[in-house]
């Protein structure tokens, strides 16, 4: 966290599509004038690295633990000389609290006119509601316990709930006491349809990673997720939007359990299999070089070295491939830094010219 300060000129927030972390990231990005880059929950995608490189950030702030935003992202960004800070906890509520504390410490002035919106961390409808509000920071709870130290930091506080979190939010309201504004997130046909779309995408992703999973319960969980999804679609067709929404959320959560199995096995394999590590680094470097080249950088030398690394790896010369990859990363760090400096100069020139 010490690497980030209020003077950060260009901030990218990397977050998964987990609804709680994403809602938090989007609301924080509005305050910090940051760019949000989204990755699939528990999945590594090489193109995300090249997308971030293209943005030339001074800092990448990862929101979420390694189960949500896999640790390979940190490794690959740092290999390219990009500063990374991760803020994450054991679950979405711990991640939320850690980020609020981070903001209070590093950007206290930005929170002076912001409303604290307390919501149950697994209330999907409440998260969707919060994304449509401006100047709001979510404070998530998993039971009736509220961090009063954090809440007292805000001048305005509201409770956001849907019918899925009524009981727990009632207990939260009793703990807070006094007059607190209440916001009710109603579930419309549009929100139910969106929840079904998200669930369908997650189920398809869970199916696609089944072959990589050794956990015997994975296949059955996918079947259950598909059953819930079918029921959600049926309820939607019958105009039962609340029921459809709840079933879609249940389907998505089952699919995410399967995806989490895949994430853990992927991370375990990456630690044990050096060839797999190097193959991934090669794919990342290829994408990064394409982005840099499209931006006008000369990467012909690095491309030549990369071809040598591929041949070495194919021939089983793992150490040689590793040395070549590290040499490429060293050269690309220079080019990434030059791109960032050039972008900063352009910003300054625009500001001066606009006066």
């Amino acid at each position: 966290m010490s690497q980030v300060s209020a003077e950060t000129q260009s901030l990218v927030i990397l977050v998964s599509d987990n609804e709680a972390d994403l809602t938090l990231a989007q609301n924080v990005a509005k305050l910090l004038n940051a760019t949000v880059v989204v990755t699939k929950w528990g999945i590594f995608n090489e193109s995300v690295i090249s997308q971030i490189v293209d943005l030339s950030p001074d800092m990448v702030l990862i929101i979420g633990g390694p189960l949500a935003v896999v640790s390979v992202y940190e490794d690959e960004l740092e290999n390219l000389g990009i500063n990374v800070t991760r803020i994450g906890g054991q679950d979405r509520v711990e991640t939320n609290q850690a980020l609020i504390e981070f903001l209070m410490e590093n950007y206290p002035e930005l929170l002076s006119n912001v409303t604290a919106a307390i919501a149950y961390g697994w209330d999907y409808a409440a998260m969707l509601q919060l994304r449509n509000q401006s100047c709001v920071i979510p404070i998530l709870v998993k039971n009736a316990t509220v961090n009063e130290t954090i809440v007292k930091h805000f001048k305005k506080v509201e409770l956001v709930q849907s019918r899925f979190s009524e009981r727990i939010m009632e207990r939260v309201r009793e703990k807070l006491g006094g007059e607190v504004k209440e916001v009710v997130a109603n579930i419309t046909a549009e929100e139910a349809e969106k929840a079904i779309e998200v669930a369908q995408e997650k189920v398809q992703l869970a199916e696609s990673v089944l072959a990589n999973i050794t956990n015997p319960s994975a296949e059955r969980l996918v079947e259950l997720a598909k059953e819930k999804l079918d029921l959600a679609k049926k309820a939607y067709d019958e105009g039962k939007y609340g029921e459809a929404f709840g079933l879609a959320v249940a389907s998505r959560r089952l699919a995410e359990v399967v995806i989490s199995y895949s994430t853990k096995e992927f991370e375990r394999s990456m630690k044990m299999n050096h060839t797999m590590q190097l193959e991934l680094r090669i794919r990342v470097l290829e994408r990064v070089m394409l982005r840099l080249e499209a931006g006008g950088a000369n990467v012909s030398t690095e491309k030549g070295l990369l071809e040598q690394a591929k041949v070495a790896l194919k021939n089983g010369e793992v150490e040689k491939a590793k040395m070549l990859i590290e040499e490429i990363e060293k050269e690309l760090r220079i080019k990434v830094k030059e791109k960032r400096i050039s972008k900063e100069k352009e910003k300054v020139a625009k500001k001066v010219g606009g006066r």
Side-chain angles (χ1 to χ4, degrees):
M1 291 187 185
S2 61
Q3 293 174 321
V4 182
S5 70
E7 286 75 41
T8 299
Q9 294 171 307
S10 176
L11 179 66
V12 164
I13 297 176
L14 175 59
V15 67
S16 76
D17 56 2
N18 163 305
E19 72 275 5
D21 291 351
L22 181 56
T23 298
L24 183 61
Q26 290 178 335
N27 286 40
V28 168
K30 293 172 188 174
L31 297 175
L32 299 181
N33 193 28
T35 302
V36 176
V37 174
V38 184
T39 180
K40 296 292 182 189
W41 187 88
I43 300 293
F44 178 74
N45 186 342
E46 296 94 350
S47 65
V48 170
I49 300 290
S50 58
Q51 183 184 351
I52 291 171
V53 167
D54 201 41
L55 292 167
S56 303
D58 297 294
M59 167 63 63
V60 173
L61 183 64
I62 296 177
I63 295 179
L67 197 58
V69 182
V70 295
S71 58
V72 179
Y73 280 116
E74 278 173 283
D75 299 336
E76 294 306 313
L77 289 168
E78 287 171 351
N79 285 341
L80 293 167
I82 296 173
N83 291 325
V84 181
T85 290
R86 181 191 288 271
I87 299 179
Q90 292 297 315
D91 58 31
R92 57 185 64 187
V93 172
E94 287 188 15
T95 293
N96 175 266
Q97 181 169 317
L99 185 57
I100 300 296
E101 289 170 350
F102 167 79
L103 292 172
M104 288 166 61
E105 181 181 346
N106 292 278
Y107 305 93
E109 71 287 350
L110 293 178
L111 299 178
S112 57
N113 293 313
V114 173
T115 299
I118 303 173
Y120 177 58
W122 288 265
D123 187 343
Y124 190 18
M127 296 306 108
L128 294 178
Q129 173 71 34
L130 285 168
R131 282 186 214 173
N132 296 324
Q133 294 180 238
S134 57
C135 292
V136 164
I137 289 289
I139 295 181
L140 305 184
V141 297
K142 53 185 164 187
N143 48 44
T145 304
V146 183
N147 189 317
E148 293 185 28
T149 303
I150 287 179
V151 173
K152 286 177 181 176
H153 188 81
F154 295 85
K155 294 177 183 177
K156 291 180 280 186
V157 179
E158 65 183 30
L159 297 181
V160 182
Q161 68 178 50
S162 73
R163 68 182 183 86
F164 295 102
S165 61
E166 287 175 350
R167 290 183 181 179
I168 196 164
M169 295 309 291
E170 178 61 35
R171 297 203 301 273
V172 170
R173 189 183 303 106
E174 290 171 1
K175 290 230 176 174
L176 288 175
E179 290 294 322
V180 181
K181 181 184 176 183
E182 295 180 26
V183 177
V184 177
N186 293 313
I187 297 160
T188 64
E190 184 181 356
E191 285 166 342
E193 185 178 21
K194 177 63 178 173
I196 289 171
E197 287 173 3
V198 171
Q200 183 149 332
E201 186 180 310
K202 292 287 183 180
V203 169
Q204 288 171 349
L205 183 55
E207 279 188 298
S208 72
V209 298
L210 266 179
N212 307 323
I213 299 172
T214 56
N215 192 309
S217 65
E219 195 167 339
R220 178 55 183 153
L221 287 171
V222 170
E223 289 305 313
L224 287 171
K226 290 164 76 173
E227 288 172 16
K228 295 281 187 187
L229 181 59
D230 288 341
L231 289 171
K233 291 176 179 178
K234 184 173 182 291
Y236 181 87
D237 290 340
E238 293 172 355
K240 301 173 183 176
Y241 302 125
E243 184 180 337
F245 186 92
L247 287 163
V249 170
S251 171
R252 177 180 58 79
R253 287 179 181 165
L254 287 166
E256 284 182 340
V257 172
V258 176
I259 296 165
S260 73
Y261 292 159
S262 174
T263 304
K264 290 171 184 174
E265 295 198 21
F266 168 75
E267 298 241 307
R268 195 181 306 119
S269 298
M270 286 294 293
K271 287 177 182 176
M272 296 173 65
N273 190 327
H274 295 301
T275 300
M276 183 179 174
Q277 287 177 23
L278 297 177
E279 287 172 345
L280 182 141
R281 286 166 77 179
I282 284 172
R283 294 198 300 272
V284 169
L285 291 172
E286 281 184 313
R287 287 184 177 272
V288 168
M289 280 190 269
L290 282 171
R291 286 279 184 146
L292 290 171
E293 193 171 43
N298 183 352
V299 292
S300 55
T301 302
E302 291 81 2
K303 286 169 84 173
L305 291 172
L306 193 65
E307 290 307 311
Q308 291 179 42
K310 287 181 183 178
V311 172
L313 198 58
K314 187 178 179 180
N315 294 336
E317 299 173 284
V318 176
E319 282 305 311
K320 182 180 178 181
K322 184 182 176 185
M323 288 175 62
L324 287 163
I325 288 169
E326 287 174 352
E327 178 62 27
I328 296 165
E329 288 170 345
K330 181 182 174 183
E331 294 301 318
L332 289 184
R333 279 197 290 272
I334 296 168
K335 289 181 167 59
V336 168
K337 185 177 180 180
E338 288 173 348
K339 180 178 172 65
R340 185 166 65 246
I341 292 169
S342 175
K343 194 170 182 179
E344 286 170 3
K345 286 180 178 177
E346 286 178 14
K347 282 184 182 178
V348 172
K350 284 180 180 178
K351 284 181 181 179
V352 172
R355 286 176 184 173

